[in-house]
């Protein structure tokens, strides 16, 4: 019975550039379908903290200032997928990033009879994304979020929530940096999107719509993928 449950566990991939809403949507899918979001950064930190063999290997590489190899990431992912909470399925966020990693992931999943049920691309308009991200700022006191175009405080420079006046912008939330990140994402991910399109499991979602509309599109894809 356990083997059958593990074999049936769906694996979904969320693709999308920074600011496309992957984290927000993944959390909503977790709550609705009982899936577990797995991001590369969280996996590495947890493995290092747990002191697993793969975690120790990753720690040694990171402490030396190197990049953790695909083999180590795959080993960490193999350990994590074996945990009981992944029995209902997982959402991968941030991995794979290249076709080489995608092929290694396919090989890993074959070990347990699993597969990629859907690779979901959150598609964005680059110019609109630059405006969306570069206009963000927050209240330094309570963390309330604002935007130059979409959500300004009632009184300029004063937080609606706590009355604070210490407004902050992330250093990398500027048009030049955001544009560069988007270019890098497209260059890196275009082959990956082609890879999953060729395998017949790529799904595209318009990520420029509101959160509810995006969530509705994702719900339909996930329901079909895990049926």
């Amino acid at each position: 019975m356990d083997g059958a449950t593990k074999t049936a566990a769906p694996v979904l991939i969320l693709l999308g550039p920074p600011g496309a809403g992957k984290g927000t949507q993944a959390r909503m899918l977790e709550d609705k379908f009982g899936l577990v979001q797995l991001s590369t950064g969280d996996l590495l930190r947890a493995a290092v903290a747990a002191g697993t063999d793969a975690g120790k290997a990753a720690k040694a590489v990171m402490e030396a200032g190197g990049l953790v190899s695909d083999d180590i990431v795959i080993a960490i992912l193999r350990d994590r997928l074996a945990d009981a909470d992944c029995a209902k399925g997982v959402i991968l966020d941030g991995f794979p990033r290249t076709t080489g990693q995608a092929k290694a992931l396919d090989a890993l999943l074959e070990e347990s009879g699993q597969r990629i049920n859907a690779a979901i691309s959150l598609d964005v308009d680059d110019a609109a994304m630059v405006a969306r991200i570069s206009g963000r700022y927050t209240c330094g006191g309570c963390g309330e979020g604002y935007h130059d175009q979409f959500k300004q405080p009632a009184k300029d420079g004063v937080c609606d929530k706590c009355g604070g006046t210490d407004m902050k912008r992330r250093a990398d939330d500027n048009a030049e940096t955001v544009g560069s990140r988007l270019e890098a994402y497209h260059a890196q991910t275009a082959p990956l999107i082609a890879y999953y399109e060729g395998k017949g499991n790529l799904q595209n979602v318009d990520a420029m719509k509101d959160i509810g509309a995006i969530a509705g599109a994702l719900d339909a894809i996930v329901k079909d993928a895990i049926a």
Side-chain angles (χ1 to χ4, degrees), residues 72-203:
I72 294 175
V73 175
I74 285 291
I76 290 173
L77 185 56
R78 178 184 287 108
D79 291 342
R80 185 66 182 89
L81 288 173
D83 290 341
D85 64 336
C86 293
K88 288 188 177 180
V90 299
I91 309 165
L92 297 179
D93 176 7
F95 188 89
R97 292 182 184 274
T98 65
T99 52
Q101 291 176 349
K103 291 175 181 177
L105 176 60
D106 286 343
L108 167 63
L109 295 176
E110 284 177 12
E111 295 175 7
S112 56
Q114 292 172 281
R115 61 185 177 87
I116 302 299
N117 297 73
I120 306 167
S121 175
L122 298 183
D123 299 335
V124 303
D125 176 272
D126 283 9
M129 282 296 290
V130 170
R132 178 192 287 184
I133 298 175
S134 61
R136 299 186 302 194
Y137 61 98
T138 58
C139 171
C142 69
E144 183 71 4
Y146 295 98
H147 194 279
D148 292 331
Q149 288 179 266
F150 311 122
K151 185 188 175 185
Q152 296 182 354
K155 184 176 180 181
D156 187 37
V158 180
C159 178
D160 295 338
K161 189 173 181 180
C162 73
T165 57
D166 180 23
M167 297 296 181
K168 297 183 178 295
R169 293 180 189 268
R170 282 179 46 172
D172 57 352
D173 277 357
N174 60 74
E176 184 177 355
T177 302
V178 174
S180 295
R181 291 209 309 260
L182 286 167
E183 286 181 14
Y185 170 78
H186 291 308
Q188 184 183 57
T189 310
L192 190 59
I193 288 177
Y195 177 79
Y196 285 116
E197 190 169 31
K199 291 176 73 69
N201 51 13
L202 181 72
Q203 299 281 350

Side-chain angles (χ1 to χ4, degrees), residues 14 20-21 24-29 32-33 120 122 205-223:
L14 271 187
T24 298
Q25 294 296 336
R27 286 189 291 274
M28 293 169 70
L29 291 174
K32 185 159 188 175
F33 295 100
I120 306 167
L122 298 183
V205 171
D206 182 357
M208 299 310 298
K209 294 182 178 180
D210 63 64
I211 291 176
I214 298 169
L218 285 170
D219 284 357
I221 290 171
V222 173
K223 284 177 183 176

